[in-house]
Amino acid sequence: MSVKFYREENQVPLEMHKVRVVQKLNLLPVEERLRAIQEAGNNTFLLRNKDIYMDMLTDSGVNAMSDRQTAAMHIADDSYAGSESFLRLKNAIKEVFGVDYVLPVHQGRAAENILANRFVSPGKVALMNFHFTTTKAHVTRLGGEVIELVKKKGLEPVNDEPFKGDFDLKLLEKTIKETGPEKVAFVRVEAGTNLIGGQPVSLENMCAVADICHKFGVPSILDASLLQDNIYFMKKREAQCKYMAPKEIYHLLADKMDIIYFSARKLGFARGGAIISHNTVLIKSMMEFIPLYEGFLTYGGIDVRSIEAMAEGLYESLDMEYLSHGPEFIEYLVRELDDYGVPVIKPAGGLGAHLNCQAFVPDMPHDQYPAAAVCAALYIAGGIRPMERGTLSEQRDPDGTERFAELELARLAVPRRVFTLSQIKYVADRVKWVWDNRQLIGGLKWVEEPDVLRFFFGRLKEIGHWQEDLADKFRQDFGNSL
Ligand code: F0G
């Protein structure tokens, strides 16, 4: 925190920006919230945005743009080939990462599609600190297998590990040796490890992973989608980074890793994405996929205005005042919830606050989807839209067996530069009410279960009548309040 308050008890995260464009929000009465979540099949992805007060589904593509980003959009150069906008993006990537070669893609998972096509074939394994939903789906689609090598402590809901996303380095070496390096498609380091609670990876660990890959001749890939938050934590929690400028860290990582890819819906407060590398041979081996799946090499399926916003946003991702906003707001929310006794993943990470639903509703079986049930309850209680990050977000095994998630999380994402502190306080308050009424929360069962990425489109219903009971209790406790 760079600004110290005079009275210690007044200390809160302070925004280093002001709001100049606003969007009206709706907060529906609880009876309508009950109807809306049931119509959405208890799936927060299927809610309509107009029915939501706090959209905390994700930080992807919903971060507020700066005046400089929206200004840059006006000078976008619309051209199928050789657009000046793409040259400006290349310059931004050169400045931020020090890298010359850029393959633009329309978003992060498009990069994963291309990387999987390039490196994965049946029988190969992709080693990761932890999987991300879309990454895993692309690897398994091509007959590969994902093996997760995050250190054990990363999966404990609460401890004081500063870098829970770190690889278990011994296990990584052992796995490469036992599998045989030729069968390893790649090793992927996910910065700000999403599904374990936005938990960072240390610079030391990332560099050690790259060194191990180098030793065995295995490609190293950094998923930098959540690198912004991760750099904040490196600077706060890792001695060697304290006096490094963010740019030095970006450059060092680009020098170490064979390939970096990212979703600009997160990194750079915009939309789009890219695959970048110093290695021309690797870049050339993926180049042909860009016109095939994305668009010509100078737009990659991204609208030119978004390319301009992305370029400007990448420069902003060097600015500690912008980098700090997400993690500081998240830390504040986590601290409030923790003070209320609500079970949260600790230490606070990036991306959002994560409720530990195994502890929230401890008696609910995994196959009644505790995290999804808590998400539905939060929407009923406050028009808050979280995202289920538990068993529902997993895929069943090929034989149909349910694969229970290591962690049952309800994620409250904090998009950058969007919410005010009073809105964050409101969320903490409503979560506290749900926590105090947790005995009312019941499970969910499938009505429609898609085979692939079921959490996007699947529909469920309550087991019993608990949602009506929760809404009734809200009326009793809050009277006429929305
Ligand atoms: N990698 C990570 C670590 C991500 O968190 C995401 C997206 C992607 C890749 C894919 O990027 O959405 O641009 O295709 N995460 C979003 C989320 C969807 O809500 O956590 P994308």
Side-chain angles (χ1 to χ4, degrees):
M1 205 167 303
S2 47
V3 181
K4 192 167 178 218
F5 281 49
Y6 174 50
R7 286 163 62 88
E8 211 177 304
E9 60 273 32
N10 287 347
Q11 187 74 52
V12 287
L14 188 66
E15 296 87 340
M16 298 305 282
H17 55 259
K18 64 179 178 180
V19 180
R20 293 178 58 223
V21 177
V22 296
Q23 181 182 354
K24 185 92 175 67
L25 286 174
N26 288 326
L27 180 54
L28 301 178
V30 68
E31 295 75 15
E32 288 179 43
R33 300 200 292 260
L34 173 67
R35 184 189 41 74
I37 194 71
Q38 293 184 341
E39 278 177 16
N42 281 286
N43 181 345
T44 55
F45 277 98
L46 302 182
L47 285 164
R48 292 182 62 175
N49 206 24
K50 72 170 182 50
D51 296 337
I52 290 158
Y53 178 65
M54 288 295 283
D55 185 7
M56 304 180 90
L57 186 72
T58 180
D59 63 345
S60 172
V62 288
N63 300 300
M65 286 206 201
S66 68
D67 49 357
R68 301 184 64 87
Q69 285 181 290
T70 48
M73 289 168 89
H74 285 289
I75 53 160
D77 182 24
D78 239 326
S79 159
Y80 189 90
S83 159
E84 282 299 306
S85 298
F86 180 67
L87 290 180
R88 282 191 278 271
L89 174 63
K90 275 190 78 170
N91 289 341
I93 285 177
K94 176 77 180 170
E95 171 74 11
V96 175
F97 287 100
V99 172
D100 286 315
Y101 304 110
V102 179
L103 300 176
V105 291
H106 77 273
Q107 65 182 91
R109 69 201 65 187
E112 292 169 343
N113 176 37
I114 287 163
L115 291 164
N117 277 312
R118 167 66 180 80
F119 293 106
V120 178
S121 53
K124 290 224 172 174
V125 298
L127 310 181
M128 307 176 185
N129 46 347
F130 211 72
H131 79 282
F132 183 68
T133 51
T134 52
T135 332
K136 185 171 176 177
H138 280 298
V139 170
T140 53
R141 177 177 66 79
L142 292 165
E145 186 195 348
V146 168
I147 300 180
E148 289 163 343
L149 302 169
V150 72
K151 66 182 180 194
K152 267 209 181 75
K153 283 193 161 244
L155 298 175
E156 292 173 7
V158 177
N159 57 35
D160 52 12
E161 284 289 304
F163 293 103
K164 278 173 143 183
D166 278 0
F167 271 80
D168 179 332
L169 295 171
K170 281 207 181 100
L171 191 59
L172 173 63
E173 280 222 45
K174 184 164 168 269
T175 312
I176 297 178
K177 277 186 197 148
E178 284 176 6
T179 316
E182 68 292 345
K183 281 186 72 185
V184 178
F186 53 75
V187 175
R188 168 180 170 275
V189 183
E190 186 181 307
T193 328
N194 189 326
L195 296 189
I196 64 167
Q199 296 292 326
V201 183
S202 66
L203 181 61
E204 190 185 348
N205 194 262
M206 286 192 191
C207 291
V209 170
D211 288 341
I212 291 171
C213 289
H214 196 66
K215 182 166 121 189
F216 288 100
V218 169
S220 56
I221 300 181
L222 172 66
D223 177 349
S225 305
L226 290 165
L227 186 58
Q228 264 172 207
D229 292 346
N230 202 118
I231 283 184
Y232 170 88
F233 291 116
M234 285 166 166
K235 285 191 58 63
K236 291 284 159 177
R237 298 179 185 172
E238 195 170 357
Q240 65 162 319
C241 298
K242 192 169 173 192
Y243 299 109
M244 286 174 85
K247 188 160 121 180
E248 286 175 77
I249 303 177
Y250 285 102
H251 279 233
L252 180 64
L253 288 171
D255 290 345
K256 278 280 184 187
M257 298 283 167
D258 291 320
I259 296 171
I260 294 181
Y261 78 93
F262 60 92
S263 167
R265 300 174 68 81
K266 291 177 187 276
L267 183 71
F269 320 98
R271 283 165 195 103
I275 302 173
I276 65 172
S277 176
H278 285 301
N279 183 327
T280 45
V281 179
L282 281 175
I283 286 287
K284 280 193 180 140
S285 72
M286 290 181 280
M287 213 156 84
E288 68 198 51
F289 292 120
I290 305 297
L292 197 58
Y293 292 121
E294 299 298 304
F296 190 66
L297 281 171
T298 55
Y299 74 91
I302 321 170
D303 159 73
V304 276
R305 282 177 296 277
S306 291
I307 293 179
E308 294 284 358
M310 180 176 163
E312 196 55 45
L314 284 170
Y315 290 116
E316 289 172 12
S317 73
L318 295 174
D319 180 339
M320 266 314 270
E321 285 177 353
Y322 280 139
L323 288 189
S324 308
H325 174 259
E328 285 184 356
F329 266 50
I330 292 161
E331 192 190 2
Y332 178 86
L333 177 56
V334 166
R335 205 178 323 117
E336 293 270 291
L337 294 171
D338 193 36
D339 287 349
Y340 294 152
V342 176
V344 270
I345 297 295
K346 287 197 299 187
L351 210 172
H354 294 74
L355 308 183
N356 173 13
C357 297
Q358 267 147 317
F360 210 110
V361 280
D363 299 329
M364 190 182 297
H366 282 270
D367 62 3
Q368 293 186 16
Y369 308 110
V374 171
C375 289
L378 290 172
Y379 176 75
I380 294 170
I384 300 161
R385 168 152 79 165
M387 187 190 287
E388 198 271 0
R389 297 274 80 160
T391 295
L392 197 85
S393 300
E394 294 289 328
Q395 292 170 229
R396 283 186 194 265
D397 285 337
D399 67 0
T401 317
E402 188 69 275
R403 186 181 271 263
F404 297 132
E406 310 257 12
L407 293 168
E408 294 284 353
L409 306 179
R411 179 179 90 181
L412 295 160
V414 179
R416 310 299 176 280
R417 320 190 281 205
V418 172
F419 296 127
T420 60
L421 207 64
S422 49
Q423 289 172 320
I424 296 292
K425 257 186 154 346
Y426 165 84
V427 170
D429 182 79
R430 285 291 191 266
V431 176
K432 163 73 168 149
W433 180 81
V434 175
W435 169 242
D436 287 346
N437 289 281
R438 60 192 178 279
Q439 77 289 349
L440 291 176
I441 302 175
L444 298 171
K445 62 181 174 200
W446 287 108
V447 178
E448 275 173 50
E449 184 184 352
D451 289 337
V452 183
L453 296 174
R454 61 187 183 173
F455 61 93
F456 280 136
F457 330 108
R459 308 181 80 85
L460 300 99
K461 64 185 277 211
E462 60 181 330
I463 298 173
H465 202 254
W466 65 268
Q467 299 191 317
E468 287 74 7
D469 296 343
L470 191 69
D472 287 347
K473 181 70 179 358
F474 182 94
R475 267 286 157 256
Q476 282 170 34
D477 290 354
F478 290 91
N480 287 333
S481 168
L482 290 173

